[in-house]
Amino acid sequence: MNVLRTVITESDDLALYVHWPFCVSKCPYCDFNSHVRAAVDQVAWRDALIADLRHEAALLPGRRIGSVFFGGGTPSLMPPATVAAILDAASAAWGFAPGVEITLEANPSSVEAARFADLAAAGVNRVSLGLQSLDDRALHFLGRAHDVAEGVAALGVAQSVFARVSIDLIYARPDQPLVAWQAELAGALAFGTEHISLYQLTIEPGTRFATEALAGRLVLPDQDAAADIFETTRAMTAAAGLPAYETSNHARPGAESRHNLTYWRYRDYAGIGPGAHGRRGGLATVRHRKPENWLAAVARNGHGTQSEEPLAPHDRATEALLMGLRLAEGIDLARIAMLAGGVAPVDAKAIARLSDLGLMAQTGDRLRVTEAGALLLDAILPEVVQDAPVTA
């Protein structure tokens, strides 16, 4: 029960997600809500984001902000003055918790690195830098605009300016030998950042890579090769003092992304900007996805909300399970049962069977996927999480 009380107490702080949808170019693997536009009316976008924020604040009174995350798109293209204005509005509307974490995603180009000092002055204290690879040929394949030298230089600037720095890399690329990835990851770990996000390349529908894969021009490593890379990645990051605390995220103890933990621990968060999602007291909120539609909605209604749907207790519990079992710490079944309004929607027999196989572990109400089970997470989840009962 101590774990449950801790989770409830920590959930009082709200997370704020701000979506900036614009990019210089569209990466061939990306299915995020990102768009290329010849020009952006910066004043109109600043004012619309603040209006969207104030609408959410009016519906979530009496809370304080524990974390802010500027995502995209490429939010490092935002004018620092816009970032400062949004943070000022958030502080005025809610107030910030002591030690508030304010993260901004950034591309490692020299142009954007030149803005880092001004972004820090605006209030950003953590940057997530999209290096994606330390191989120039891979960067070209991934459609990135920077090369390795430019990325490393931008990382140096970030480490000199921001209190906290995370880097992103993509692995399991076509024709990537395990030994090459080991060398690349070792180089990344040598930079000494407190946090590193490592994503296996996947083919997402609607992307250029999906078209290439369908035509047979792009082939990813087979399942066994990808598994070898995954297991090696976990071993190397753990040995370097950055163990996996979530499926794709690794950090020094205490340096985990507080904002993303809000999602994985299934707490309330406000989402503003095009396509942003939120969870507000049992409601699922969604903003208009297309930038122009969102902007028009804000002008018309004072906010960019497209829908607000109440989540059934079973759906809330299921979401919490699917998110929480990605974490090394796992989930608290008592809290899941509370969300479900009675009994946690899990298959006890499946949990027992998977525990006997060493793929899951349960101590009291705490349930987690083991290190051995992490590789099989996608297969484990549908076995453990029960569907909603069918009612007549």
Side-chain angles (χ1 to χ4, degrees):
M1 293 302 294
N2 288 337
V3 173
L4 177 58
R5 286 198 294 270
T6 299
V7 170
I8 291 173
T9 299
E10 290 178 352
S11 70
D12 289 342
D13 283 348
L14 186 69
L16 172 64
Y17 176 76
V18 182
H19 191 78
W20 182 260
F22 302 115
C23 285
V24 172
S25 60
K26 185 78 171 180
C27 295
Y29 57 85
C30 178
D31 70 337
F32 294 162
N33 186 28
S34 59
H35 305 265
V36 178
R37 296 290 185 267
V40 175
D41 185 334
Q42 298 291 348
V43 173
W45 274 85
R46 178 199 64 202
D47 292 348
L49 285 166
I50 291 173
D52 212 14
L53 182 154
R54 287 173 176 160
H55 172 77
E56 279 297 303
L59 297 170
L60 283 163
R63 305 292 291 273
R64 66 179 185 177
I65 297 292
S67 66
V68 182
F69 195 101
F70 291 89
T74 309
S76 50
L77 296 173
M78 297 175 71
T82 298
V83 174
I86 292 169
L87 293 175
D88 286 346
S91 179
W94 283 294
F96 288 152
V100 60
E101 175 189 272
I102 302 174
T103 303
L104 184 138
E105 290 181 331
N107 275 341
S109 74
S110 56
V111 172
E112 289 163 62
R115 295 192 181 101
F116 286 174
D118 288 338
L119 288 167
V124 175
N125 55 29
R126 182 177 182 273
V127 71
S128 178
L129 200 64
L131 290 183
Q132 310 308 2
S133 177
L134 297 177
D135 179 282
D136 279 331
R137 288 174 299 177
L139 288 172
H140 178 73
F141 163 74
L142 293 168
R144 306 297 291 172
H146 67 279
D147 60 18
V148 173
E150 189 176 25
V152 171
L155 174 59
V157 175
Q159 290 179 307
S160 71
V161 168
F162 297 105
R164 303 176 61 198
V165 177
S166 175
I167 57 175
D168 293 0
L169 293 178
I170 296 173
Y171 67 92
R173 306 183 300 258
D175 302 316
Q176 183 184 34
L178 176 59
V179 65
W181 171 241
Q182 289 174 309
E184 190 173 341
L185 180 56
L189 292 168
F191 293 134
T193 61
E194 64 170 20
H195 189 285
I196 184 167
S197 298
L198 303 170
Y199 301 108
Q200 183 172 329
L201 181 61
T202 55
I203 305 300
E204 302 297 341
T207 64
R208 182 157 62 83
F209 274 1
T211 302
E212 295 291 304
L214 188 63
R217 294 189 294 269
L218 190 158
V219 180
L220 297 184
D222 63 30
Q223 189 172 4
D224 288 342
D228 289 343
I229 295 176
F230 180 84
E231 291 174 341
T232 298
T233 297
R234 308 269 292 198
M236 288 181 64
T237 54
L242 282 78
Y245 69 98
E246 188 270 345
T247 302
S248 302
N249 288 273
H250 311 252
R252 301 192 189 285
E256 299 86 356
S257 168
R258 298 173 211 159
H259 184 88
N260 286 335
L261 281 172
T262 297
Y263 303 150
W264 295 319
R265 289 174 173 166
Y266 204 65
R267 301 173 185 160
D268 278 352
Y269 61 97
I272 67 168
H277 289 237
R279 290 293 181 270
R280 187 201 311 133
L283 287 177
T285 67
V286 181
R287 261 45 184 182
H288 288 278
R289 182 176 175 85
K290 187 177 179 181
E292 291 76 11
N293 292 350
W294 174 85
L295 200 62
V298 175
R300 183 174 62 250
N301 304 320
H303 59 85
T305 307
Q306 181 179 36
S307 66
E308 292 183 356
E309 298 292 339
L311 291 166
H314 179 275
D315 293 337
R316 296 180 69 193
T318 298
E319 285 189 343
L321 277 167
L322 294 174
M323 298 296 281
L325 286 174
R326 295 179 63 86
L327 290 168
E329 69 185 24
I331 50 94
D332 179 18
L333 287 171
R335 179 171 181 257
I336 300 298
M338 180 180 65
L339 290 169
V343 180
V346 295
D347 187 327
K349 291 182 179 179
I351 292 172
R353 183 176 68 256
L354 292 165
S355 296
D356 288 342
L357 293 171
L359 303 178
M360 299 197 80
Q362 183 173 350
T363 305
D365 285 331
R366 177 62 52 175
L367 177 68
R368 63 182 179 85
V369 175
T370 65
E371 183 67 22
L375 177 62
L376 303 172
L377 180 65
D378 289 343
I380 288 172
L381 290 176
E383 287 199 46
V384 170
V385 181
Q386 289 186 323
D387 293 333
V390 178
T391 57

